[in-house]
């Protein structure tokens, strides 16, 4: 980024949903920015994940930028391919494409104190400068492969769900899926009618929340095109928002009526949705609902009762060339093995090296757990802001809404730089420490900390998430507490 004048340059890392958002906002206000994207195309998680059955379980009209409603969604829940097209189209429409540098992996960001700017190094060895870094590098980004003996010996094709192989034998073949988070469940529902034999390997059964599903016909889409108020009505649907607020009350009040209702709805779904008593018991969770991310599905229980599908709850002993050997000695012979085993959720911008004031690295600061002040900024890392960074809300929310609220917060800090009132802004260490102390104490009492394993937990077993209500998050993002920030005046 060439320096034209005195105004700050912005380096956005990642051209996914949050990076495109930051670009659109900066372009609107006429600021200089470059988006560095390590891959050769935009879209982040929606570019990487192409597995059959991929949908977003947030209603499509709520999983859109607030400023860019989209009348074309084809169903209440959009497919991954549609969402990817939405981001491509939106990036084009808002003139973001010329600002994206593809194949540009940022490997280091080092704060130059004397000049109050970040020195970026790319994988190519090229360097760049920017006064501001926006880390929009995603959360669920680095696949986590299971530590199962013999995985590499498998003779068929084995691959992670986020690295879908189009030429894998599925139709009429013998396939297995390890993992039953949101991903594994969606893949099973899509393959149940395609594979001749499909095994769902479940280490822990899931709570399945029944949800409505319906398609939007051409007539409805035409009505959305003609009258955007119809889309607003869906986005602002009081029932949708009261569900969000009820869900956060459920998360934060583990003995309250809201979580009891969620558990009842899911258990009724299991009771009424599964006919075979043996299968019903296999699918019954033995931990609290919403402790792991709740699965929203309108078709999983139908899928697992199809003749080709076998739910396997016996532990896996090892993987052999022919298939998966269970602890009781049985062998599932497979042609294809899908590893829907999740992601390393504590990486964020890493493995890039990020060094702030005094050369302190993010790896050092995050030795125990990734953390950020109100999930956005980090003491000692001036002008470094994260979207969907550590300790933000997790659960069944629209990450777009979360990123937009975070951007509104970041923008108020950037205003200080743009107005020339400061060269650098970072949260005070004591403000961050107080935030983390309160957050950790509250996080331990959330449903996420009620005794299950999940990607929500940090390495010490503490939920790594926002532990308060969604309203509290919205309020916190509405206006930064400026006294909690250190300004390096010009
Ligand atoms: P995940 O929720 O982390 O689930 C990983 C699954 O793999 C779990 O069932 C886990 O079992 C299992 N597993 C891991 N290692 C294993 C091993 N060695 N042996 C046997 N089983 C193993 O990952 P994910 O399903 O990819 O979902 C991650 C997140 O992506 C979701 O929580 C959600 O936030 C997001 N997502 C969202 C949507 C959407 O519709 N919005 C769709 C897909 C994904 P245990 O439970 O026993 O650990």
């Amino acid at each position: 980024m060439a320096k034209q004048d005195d105004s700050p340059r912005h380096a956005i890392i990642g051209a996914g949903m949050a990076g495109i958002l930051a670009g659109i906002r900066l372009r609107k206000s006429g600021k200089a920015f470059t988006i560095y994207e390590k891959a050769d195309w935009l879209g982040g998680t929606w570019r990487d994940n192409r597995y059959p059955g991929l949908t977003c379980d947030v209603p499509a009209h709520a999983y859109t930028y607030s400023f860019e409603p989209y009348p074309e969604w084809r169903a209440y829940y959009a497919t991954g391919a549609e969402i990817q097209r939405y981001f491509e189209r939106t990036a084009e429409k808002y003139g973001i494409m010329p600002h994206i540098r593809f194949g540009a992996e940022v490997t280091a960001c080092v704060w130059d104190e004397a000049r109050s700017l970040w020195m970026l190094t790319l994988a190519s060895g090229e360097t760049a400068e920017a006064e501001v870094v926006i880390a929009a590098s995603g959360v669920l980004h680095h696949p986590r492969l299971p530590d199962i003996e013999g995985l590499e010996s498998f003779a068929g094709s084995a691959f992670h769900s986020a690295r879908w192989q189009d030429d894998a034998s599925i139709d009429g073949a013998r396939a297995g899926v390890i993992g039953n988070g949101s991903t594994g469940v969606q893949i099973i529902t899509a393959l149940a009618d395609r594979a001749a034999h499909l095994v769902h390997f479940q280490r822990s059964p899931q709570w399945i929340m029944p949800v409505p599903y319906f398609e939007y016909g051409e007539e409805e889409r035409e009505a959305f095109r003609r009258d955007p108020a119809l889309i607003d009505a869906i986005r602002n649907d009081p029932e949708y928002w009261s569900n969000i607020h009820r869900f956060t009350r459920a998360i934060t009040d583990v003995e309250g009526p809201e979580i009891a209702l969620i558990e009842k709805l899911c258990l009724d779904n299991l009771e009424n949705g599964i006919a075979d008593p043996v299968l019903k018991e296999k699918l019954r969770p033995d931990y609290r609902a919403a402790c792991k991310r709740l699965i929203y599905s309108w078709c999983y229980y139908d899928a697992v009762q199809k003749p080709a599908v076998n739910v396997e709850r016996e532990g896996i002993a090892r993987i052999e060339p022919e298939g998966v050997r269970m602890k009781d000695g049985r062998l599932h012979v497979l042609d294809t093995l899908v590893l829907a085993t999740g992601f390393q959720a504590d990486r964020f911008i890493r493995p890039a090296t990020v060094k702030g004031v005094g050369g302190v690295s993010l790896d050092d600061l995050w030795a125990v757990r990734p953390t950020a002040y109100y999930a956005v900024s980090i003491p000692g890392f001036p002008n470094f802001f994260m979207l969907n960074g550590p300790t933000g809300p997790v659960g069944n929310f629209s990450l777009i809404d979360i990123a937009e609220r975070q951007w509104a917060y970041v923008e108020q800090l950037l205003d200080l730089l743009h107005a020339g009132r400061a060269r650098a802004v970072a949260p005070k260490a004591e403000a961050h420490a107080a935030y983390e102390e309160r957050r950790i104490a509250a996080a331990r009492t959330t449903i996420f900390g009620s005794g299950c394993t999940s990607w929500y937990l940090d390495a010490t077993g503490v939920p790594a998430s926002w532990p308060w209500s969604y309203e509290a998050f919205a309020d916190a993002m509405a206006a930064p507490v400026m006294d909690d920030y250190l300004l390096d005046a010009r």
Side-chain angles (χ1 to χ4, degrees), residues 8 20 27 32 48 68 82 99 108 186 199 201 208 213 215 239 266 275 311 324 330 351 400 486 488-490:
I20 294 169
R27 189 166 185 273
D48 287 352
E68 185 58 18
E82 275 188 285
H99 295 267
Q186 291 184 345
V199 187
F201 297 95
I208 309 284
Y213 176 83
E215 296 186 354
E239 199 177 323
C266 293
V311 171
V324 177
R330 286 173 301 123
I400 299 187
L486 269 180
D488 172 12
R490 276 176 186 269

Side-chain angles (χ1 to χ4, degrees), residues 471-485:
E471 291 99 321
F473 169 72
D475 287 350
M477 292 301 100
V481 176
M482 290 299 180
D483 281 351
D484 285 351
Y485 277 88

Side-chain angles (χ1 to χ4, degrees), residues 46 51 54-58 140 144 146-148 161 178-184 186 203-204 206 292-293 316 340-343 453 455-456:
W46 302 108
Y51 60 76
L54 175 60
T55 51
C56 178
D57 64 8
V58 175
L140 302 168
R144 194 182 55 175
D147 186 14
I148 302 177
S161 51
I178 299 181
N180 66 330
S182 307
T183 303
Q186 291 184 345
R203 189 165 61 183
S204 330
Q206 280 282 9
K292 297 174 191 282
R293 190 182 197 271
I316 296 172
T341 44
F343 299 85
T453 55
W455 67 265
Y456 292 165

Side-chain angles (χ1 to χ4, degrees), residues 60 174 217 231 259 278 281 367 373 375 417 464 471:
R174 297 160 299 186
I231 296 178
I259 191 69
V278 175
E281 290 320 303
Y373 176 70
L417 309 177
E471 291 99 321

Side-chain angles (χ1 to χ4, degrees), residues 180 202-207 282-287 313:
N180 66 330
Q202 302 197 354
R203 189 165 61 183
S204 330
Q206 280 282 9
W207 292 85
K282 278 188 184 175
L283 293 169
R284 191 181 297 282
D286 60 357
Y287 55 92
R313 286 291 317 283

Side-chain angles (χ1 to χ4, degrees), residues 191-260:
L191 301 192
D193 287 325
R194 291 180 51 190
H197 183 65
L198 180 65
V199 187
H200 196 187
F201 297 95
Q202 302 197 354
R203 189 165 61 183
S204 330
Q206 280 282 9
W207 292 85
I208 309 284
M209 173 65 93
V211 288
Y213 176 83
F214 49 86
E215 296 186 354
Y216 295 122
E218 178 51 28
E219 226 170 82
E220 277 156 307
R221 290 198 296 274
E222 181 54 27
F224 289 143
R225 282 176 212 129
R226 276 200 315 267
D227 184 3
L230 294 173
I231 296 178
D232 288 345
I234 298 175
R235 289 180 63 85
N236 303 325
D237 178 8
E239 199 177 323
Y240 169 67
W241 280 102
S242 81
N243 281 343
I244 298 241
H245 296 313
R246 186 176 311 134
F247 185 74
T248 61
R249 282 198 294 280
I251 291 170
T252 51
D253 182 6
V254 298
E255 300 305 332
E258 311 291 10
I259 191 69

